[in-house]
Amino acid sequence: MAIDPSEDAQSWAAIIARHDAPMPALAAVVEAGLTATSQQVGAFDDERSLVCAAQHPRNGLVGAALGRTLGMCGELKQLWVDVPYRGTGLGRALVVAFEDEVRARDCRTVYLSTYSFQARPFYEALGYKVALEIPGHGAAGSKFLMLKALTRQP
């Protein structure tokens, strides 16, 4: 593909489309491009997925903590507990299991993001600290980036 170096901001603006609807095919191309660039520099060579799932013997999947480890960091991307099991300690148990595995992978920090309407007090009770608040997310309130330093277990 030949690129004309004389292209300017006005030329590019004329060919940029805006979309409200999800576009899986477009997202796949973007993801593949970003992955290729990351692989060239080895940025994510040690990335490992991490799933901690709670399987009830009669009711199936009732909760899960999903994330990854990369370098010395663990990222808790999603925590879900089925409504009937909320308030039973299952969410705490899932986070603790996730942190234990992150620690076993020699990570020193775990981080996550949550909104005002979600679980900030829950995470604070587990030792997470707000590192960044981003207000202005409409009815969702603020978005919080939360961190926790992990200590080695004997």
Side-chain angles (χ1 to χ4, degrees):
M1 165 172 64
I3 297 175
D4 182 353
S6 67
E7 297 287 350
D8 61 12
Q10 273 189 326
S11 309
W12 290 121
I15 65 167
I16 295 174
R18 294 164 177 83
H19 306 277
D20 286 339
M23 302 187 69
L26 183 142
V29 170
V30 171
E31 183 68 28
L34 291 172
T35 298
T37 300
S38 298
Q39 287 173 341
Q40 287 175 355
V41 297
F44 296 102
D45 287 353
D46 65 342
E47 178 181 16
R48 293 174 56 195
S49 293
L50 176 53
V51 176
C52 297
Q55 292 282 347
H56 189 279
R58 290 184 311 279
N59 300 330
L61 183 66
V62 296
L66 310 176
R68 68 178 179 162
T69 56
L70 178 63
M72 292 181 14
C73 295
E75 178 183 13
L76 177 58
K77 291 182 175 186
Q78 297 175 310
L79 175 67
W80 169 77
V81 174
D82 199 6
V83 174
Y85 299 91
R86 293 179 188 170
T88 66
L90 177 57
R92 181 184 191 291
L94 285 164
V95 173
V96 168
F98 187 89
E99 290 173 354
D100 286 347
E101 181 58 27
V102 167
R103 189 179 289 108
R105 295 179 183 187
D106 292 324
C107 295
R108 306 286 192 278
T109 304
V110 63
Y111 65 95
L112 58 90
S113 65
T114 190
Y115 287 99
S116 299
F117 76 95
Q118 291 177 322
R120 177 182 169 188
F122 169 79
Y123 292 119
E124 287 174 328
L126 291 171
Y128 288 80
K129 305 286 186 212
V130 173
L132 176 67
E133 177 180 358
I134 307 167
H137 287 84
S142 291
K143 186 168 190 169
F144 300 94
L145 175 65
M146 303 184 78
L147 305 174
K148 181 177 180 178
L150 297 177
T151 57
R152 288 217 170 260
Q153 297 296 327

